[in-house]
C-alpha cells in the first residue's frame, strides 16, 4: 500500500512540487489548511506532511511557526524548492486578454511588478493550485491563475507568461513532518537541529542563552521570535542550528541554554538539504 504525504492546498501546488522532489514515491494527500495536513498525520491518515515555513521573497509563513510547537509532530527532513510563478490561462486566451489573476495571498506579492506592468489585478484565492482549478472551471479568458506549470498540466491551462516572479532567487523552504522523531545521522551535508524555547524573565536572558552557542562554535542559522497566547510579555523563540544533539559542543550549548530558559523542546533533527 502506497504511503501518503499530506499537503496544504490542491494538487499542482508548490507543496506538491516539493513532494515530487523529496518524496516522489508517496501519494500526495491534499488538505484544506495547515491544521488539516497536520491532523492527517496525527490521525494516521497520512505518514508525513510537507509544510512550507519560509520564502526568500515573502518571509516566514507565520501560521506554521505558531502550529509547529503544538503539532505533536517532528521534523525529519527539509527541502528547498525554486518557486517559478507562471501566468496560466484557459486555452485560446492571450496575455492581453487577462484582467485578473488569482492566487494565494503569499504568492501575489512575489510577482507584483509583472502584474503592475500589465495592468492585471491580483485576486486572493485559498491556494495557487485551487486558483488554477477554478480558472479552468470558469473558462473565462479574462481570468488567469498564478501557479506552477504542474498546476497548468493538471487542470488543462496554458502558460501565458513563464517565470514572472520579481526575484530571481525566489525559493521556499519546506519541512517534512512525521509522528516519530528520527535522530539517526544521514545525508551528506550535515545535520540541522530545530528547537523552540522561552527565556526566563531576567535581564539579558536571551543574550546569555545564546552565549553557549557562540562559545562552543555552533552556527545558528535561524532565530525567530513570536508571542505566546497573545501576550506581549511572553515570547517564544524558534531556532535552527548546525549540528546534532549528540555532538559534544551541541550538548554543552544546550545545557547552558537550559539555565536561562523555562522550556526547551527539540522539534526535529534532520539532514541539511544540499541547496541550503
Amino acid at each position: 500500500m502506497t504511503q501518503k504525504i499530506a499537503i496544504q492546498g490542491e494538487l499542482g501546488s508548490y507543496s506538491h512540487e516539493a513532494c515530487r522532489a523529496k518524496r516522489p514515491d508517496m501519494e500526495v494527500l491534499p488538505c484544506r489548511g495547515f491544521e488539516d495536513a497536520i491532523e492527517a498525520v496525527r490521525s494516521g491518515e497520512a505518514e508525513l506532511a510537507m509544510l512550507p515555513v519560509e520564502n526568500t521573497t515573502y518571509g516566514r509563513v507565520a501560521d506554521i511557526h505558531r502550529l509547529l510547537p503544538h503539532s505533536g509532530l517532528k521534523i525529519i527532513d527539509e527541502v528547498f524548492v525554486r518557486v517559478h510563478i507562471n501566468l496560466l490561462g484557459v486555452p485560446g486566451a492571450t496575455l492581453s486578454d487577462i484582467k485578473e489573476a488569482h492566487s494565494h495571498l503569499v504568492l501575489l506579492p512575489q510577482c507584483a511588478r509583472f502584474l503592475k506592468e500589465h495592468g492585471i489585478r491580483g485576486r486572493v484565492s485559498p491556494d495557487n493550485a485551487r486558483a488554477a482549478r477554478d480558472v479552468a472551471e470558469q473558462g473565462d479568458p479574462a481570468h488567469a491563475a498564478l501557479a506552477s506549470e504542474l498546476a497548468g498540466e493538471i487542470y488543462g491551462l496554458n502558460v501565458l507568461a513563464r517565470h514572472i516572479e520579481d526575484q530571481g532567487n525566489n525559493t521556499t523552504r519546506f519541512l517534512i513532518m512525521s509522528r516519530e522523531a528520527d535522530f539517526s545521522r544521514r545525508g551528506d551535508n550535515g545535520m540541522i537541529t530545530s528547537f523552540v524555547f522561552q527565556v526566563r524573565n531576567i535581564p539579558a536572558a536571551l543574550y546569555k542563552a545564546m552565549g553557549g552557542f557562540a562559545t562552543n562554535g555552533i552556527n545558528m542559522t535561524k532565530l525567530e521570535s513570536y508571542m505566546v497566547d497573545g501576550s506581549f510579555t511572553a515570547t517564544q523563540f524558534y531556532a535552527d542550528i548546525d549540528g546534532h544533539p549528540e555532538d559534544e559542543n551541541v550538548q554543552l550549548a544546550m545545557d547552558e541554554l537550559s539555565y536561562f530558559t523555562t522550556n526547551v523542546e527539540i522539534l526535529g533533527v534532520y539532514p541539511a538539504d544540499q541547496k541550503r
Side-chain angles (χ1 to χ4, degrees), residues 1-245:
M1 185 176 179
T2 304
Q3 292 188 321
K4 295 181 180 180
I5 182 168
I7 63 170
Q8 181 275 326
E10 305 279 344
L11 295 178
S13 66
Y14 294 100
S15 295
H16 187 180
E17 285 197 343
C19 294
R20 280 192 165 189
K22 205 71 171 182
R23 294 293 190 275
D25 297 331
M26 299 188 74
E27 178 184 346
V28 176
L29 175 66
C31 299
R32 177 171 295 183
F34 295 129
E35 294 94 337
D36 301 304
I38 290 171
E39 182 56 34
V41 179
R42 282 198 299 232
S43 68
E45 185 180 2
E47 283 69 35
L48 303 175
M50 179 73 76
L51 302 175
V53 290
E54 56 192 327
N55 174 268
T56 53
T57 303
Y58 183 81
R60 74 180 183 183
V61 181
D63 283 349
I64 292 299
H65 286 81
R66 175 179 57 83
L67 293 171
L68 284 184
H70 309 291
S71 68
L73 305 183
K74 298 297 182 182
I75 306 166
I76 62 166
D77 213 344
E78 69 172 357
V79 56
F80 291 81
V81 173
R82 179 68 173 82
V83 177
H84 288 301
I85 304 174
N86 308 278
L87 187 72
L88 307 177
V90 298
T94 64
L95 177 58
S96 60
D97 293 328
I98 305 304
K99 305 303 179 186
E100 295 187 358
H102 304 258
S103 197
H104 192 275
L105 177 64
V106 170
L107 215 66
L108 291 171
Q110 297 177 28
C111 50
R113 186 183 306 125
F114 176 90
L115 297 179
K116 183 177 180 180
E117 288 175 354
H118 291 85
I120 299 173
R121 294 186 297 273
R123 291 290 181 260
V124 175
S125 179
D127 176 71
N128 54 79
R130 170 67 179 273
R133 191 187 75 179
D134 290 346
V135 166
E137 291 176 352
Q138 187 177 8
D140 187 340
H143 290 255
L146 301 171
S148 67
E149 291 188 59
L150 175 60
E153 294 172 9
I154 292 174
Y155 301 109
L157 299 176
N158 293 337
V159 177
L160 305 183
R162 183 174 276 106
H163 300 181
I164 62 173
E165 60 273 10
D166 292 342
Q167 301 296 327
N169 64 340
N170 192 28
T171 301
T172 297
R173 179 190 180 209
F174 292 84
L175 297 177
I176 300 178
M177 311 292 295
S178 173
R179 289 186 295 275
E180 302 295 333
D182 184 356
F183 277 45
S184 64
R185 294 181 187 270
R186 56 206 187 276
D188 301 320
N189 302 290
M191 298 294 291
I192 304 294
T193 298
S194 295
F195 56 94
V196 291
F197 64 94
Q198 294 182 36
V199 296
R200 294 169 57 195
N201 189 21
I202 59 175
L206 179 60
Y207 173 79
K208 294 174 181 176
M210 296 295 93
F213 297 96
T215 57
N216 286 285
I218 296 172
N219 183 32
M220 180 171 285
T221 58
K222 178 162 293 294
L223 180 65
E224 298 272 3
S225 66
Y226 49 100
M227 292 186 298
V228 179
D229 298 327
S231 171
F232 286 99
T233 58
T235 303
Q236 183 158 267
F237 294 88
Y238 169 97
D240 293 336
I241 60 171
D242 291 339
H244 190 286

